[in-house]
Amino acid sequence: MPSSFSSAPILCVVGARPNFMKIAPVIRAMKGATPPLPVRLLHTGQHYDPEMNSQFFQALGIPDPDINLEVGSASHAVQTAEIMRHFEPVLEHERPAAVLVVGDVNSTLACALVAAKTGVAVIHVEAGLRSFDRTMPEEINRVLTDQISDLLFITEKSARENLLREGIPESRIHFVGNVMIDTLRYNLKEAVPAAQTLSQYGAATDWGQNGFAVLTLHRPSNVDDPGTLRAVLGAIREVSRRLPVAFAVHPRTRARIEQHGLGPVLEAQSILKLPPLGYLEMLGLMQSARLVLTDSGGIQEETTALGVPCVTLRDNTERPITVEQGTNTVVGSSPAHILAAVDEIVRTGGKAGRVPELWDGRASERIAAKLRVWLDGAAERLVG
């Protein structure tokens, strides 16, 4: 087994906040393997906020990145191109055994493309998820990344069917479970109590004492069109008449609300507007919420793992298992459908659901074990 290959690191890539929760347990499992797997961490800087990054990295136990490209924000095309341009010389210098990417952000596809074009193996964690909506940039990133990946780690069995249908050889596909749930389970005892977060941002002591909802909203389909945004926010105001709403406002959403003069819609004591929260603060809120309204993919999974009813403000989901087995209901952006779903949850308690197969907090350990076998096999093939 050539020492040059066996000692070459796996270069793990993150680029945006959703990646952090996925990479943390993977790096921990790789470093904790016997013997440890060599790993290097690269941050593309796709979403780069030094204060927020530091907060997340510290809370999740992620080591500081070995490399930071600091590409910053731009249009999808420009950002993808800039990541590729900055990543190629790094890849030539690092000469890793493989590039490991997670999720479906622009950094995922950009770094996978550069690796594939330069003959470096690509490992995709959270492969095979499909919304079947090609208007979503994330769907394009998912489909293309999977096509050029050598190892595809999936979170649910439907992902295998999607990949096989798209011509991916079954030998490349490995059902390991959900690394997002590894992070959730690992950090659950450290979650910041909801009451502490709510009071920190001005909630009265009796705010939400009979239950509250949590809201996140950021997808272009919901916030970029002023008519859609007005309708959704109007529905949220109606929800707040039934149940107080803690709204963690994404910077993109805040900008659109201000741009379209929709701030007055949210002026109600029963709506508590919060800044973007750290992982442990958000986890504490979700854990204590009576229900969660969101257009986030990851939150659909986290609420299913927590057993908290989730109302997804989208027309589709790439995580169908959260609907079929979990606590998720997909309602779109129609105010009538949103209110009907909320009323049903308030009346009945919502879907009980169950935790899906292999969402047991050990997905990353299974990934590390597969990577050890794969690295050993790759080294042996080089000898041959």
Side-chain angles (χ1 to χ4, degrees), residues 95-172:
R95 304 183 70 83
V99 169
L100 185 150
V101 295
V102 296
D104 54 19
V105 300
N106 289 339
S107 297
T108 303
L109 175 59
C111 293
L113 276 170
V114 174
K117 284 177 174 289
T118 54
V120 177
V122 176
I123 301 162
H124 189 198
V125 174
E126 200 181 74
L129 298 179
R130 297 290 181 269
S131 67
F132 303 103
D133 179 1
R134 294 293 179 94
T135 67
M136 293 177 63
E138 297 88 348
E139 183 78 351
I140 303 300
N141 293 342
R142 287 189 283 262
V143 172
L144 296 181
T145 300
D146 286 341
Q147 283 295 319
I148 55 177
S149 292
D150 298 86
L151 282 177
L152 300 98
F153 293 118
I154 62 173
T155 63
E156 55 179 89
K157 288 183 176 178
S158 68
R160 181 190 301 276
E161 298 168 11
N162 295 334
L163 293 170
L164 293 175
R165 187 169 54 249
E166 293 168 8
I168 305 297
E170 186 161 13
S171 59
R172 296 184 182 182

Side-chain angles (χ1 to χ4, degrees), residues 77-93:
V78 170
Q79 187 176 69
T80 302
E82 283 298 294
I83 294 169
M84 293 177 71
R85 188 170 70 84
H86 284 77
F87 185 59
E88 185 172 25
V90 170
L91 198 60
E92 291 173 355
H93 178 265

Side-chain angles (χ1 to χ4, degrees), residues 43-293:
H43 190 341
T44 67
Q46 174 181 328
H47 292 166
Y48 191 69
D49 178 333
E51 185 176 342
M52 184 63 74
N53 282 359
S54 175
Q55 180 185 24
F56 263 74
F57 276 46
Q58 183 177 0
L60 297 173
I62 304 172
D64 289 336
D66 299 291
I67 306 155
N68 201 317
L69 302 184
E70 299 184 1
V71 297
S73 298
S75 69
H76 283 285
V78 170
Q79 187 176 69
T80 302
E82 283 298 294
I83 294 169
M84 293 177 71
R85 188 170 70 84
H86 284 77
F87 185 59
E88 185 172 25
V90 170
L91 198 60
E92 291 173 355
H93 178 265
E94 292 287 317
R95 304 183 70 83
V99 169
L100 185 150
V101 295
V102 296
D104 54 19
V105 300
N106 289 339
S107 297
T108 303
L109 175 59
C111 293
L113 276 170
V114 174
K117 284 177 174 289
T118 54
V120 177
V122 176
I123 301 162
H124 189 198
V125 174
E126 200 181 74
L129 298 179
R130 297 290 181 269
S131 67
F132 303 103
D133 179 1
R134 294 293 179 94
T135 67
M136 293 177 63
E138 297 88 348
E139 183 78 351
I140 303 300
N141 293 342
R142 287 189 283 262
V143 172
L144 296 181
T145 300
D146 286 341
Q147 283 295 319
I148 55 177
S149 292
D150 298 86
L151 282 177
L152 300 98
F153 293 118
I154 62 173
T155 63
E156 55 179 89
K157 288 183 176 178
S158 68
R160 181 190 301 276
E161 298 168 11
N162 295 334
L163 293 170
L164 293 175
R165 187 169 54 249
E166 293 168 8
I168 305 297
E170 186 161 13
S171 59
R172 296 184 182 182
I173 305 168
H174 302 276
F175 177 36
V176 294
N178 193 329
V179 295
M180 282 277 287
I181 307 309
D182 290 13
T183 292
L184 183 147
R185 288 179 176 272
Y186 187 81
N187 289 283
L188 203 53
K189 290 183 180 179
E190 304 301 321
V192 176
Q196 179 178 324
T197 300
L198 295 172
S199 65
Q200 180 181 347
Y201 293 104
T205 54
D206 60 348
W207 192 96
Q209 64 181 0
N210 295 319
F212 62 91
V214 171
L215 168 67
T216 76
L217 193 69
H218 76 282
R219 290 198 177 274
S221 59
N222 279 326
V223 306
D224 282 1
D225 178 76
T228 301
L229 182 58
R230 181 182 296 277
V232 171
L233 295 182
I236 296 306
R237 186 179 177 93
E238 286 301 314
V239 169
S240 75
R241 301 182 196 279
R242 297 151 166 82
L243 202 63
V245 177
F247 182 10
V249 188
H250 190 279
R252 175 192 186 94
T253 308
R254 184 180 299 276
R256 296 296 183 270
I257 290 172
E258 293 173 357
Q259 177 185 350
H260 301 304
L262 296 175
V265 179
L266 299 175
E267 292 302 324
Q269 288 187 344
S270 54
I271 299 177
L272 182 65
K273 295 181 287 296
L274 310 173
L277 298 174
Y279 179 76
L280 297 178
E281 287 78 14
M282 193 65 187
L283 182 55
L285 280 183
M286 290 192 298
Q287 186 180 14
S288 297
R290 194 160 171 189
L291 63 94
V292 174
L293 302 111

Side-chain angles (χ1 to χ4, degrees), residues 6 11 13 31 45 81 157 180-181 203 246 257 302 311 316 352 372:
S6 59
L11 185 59
V13 173
K31 290 187 172 183
K157 288 183 176 178
M180 282 277 287
I181 307 309
I257 290 172
E302 290 166 332
V311 178
N316 51 56
R372 169 60 67 196

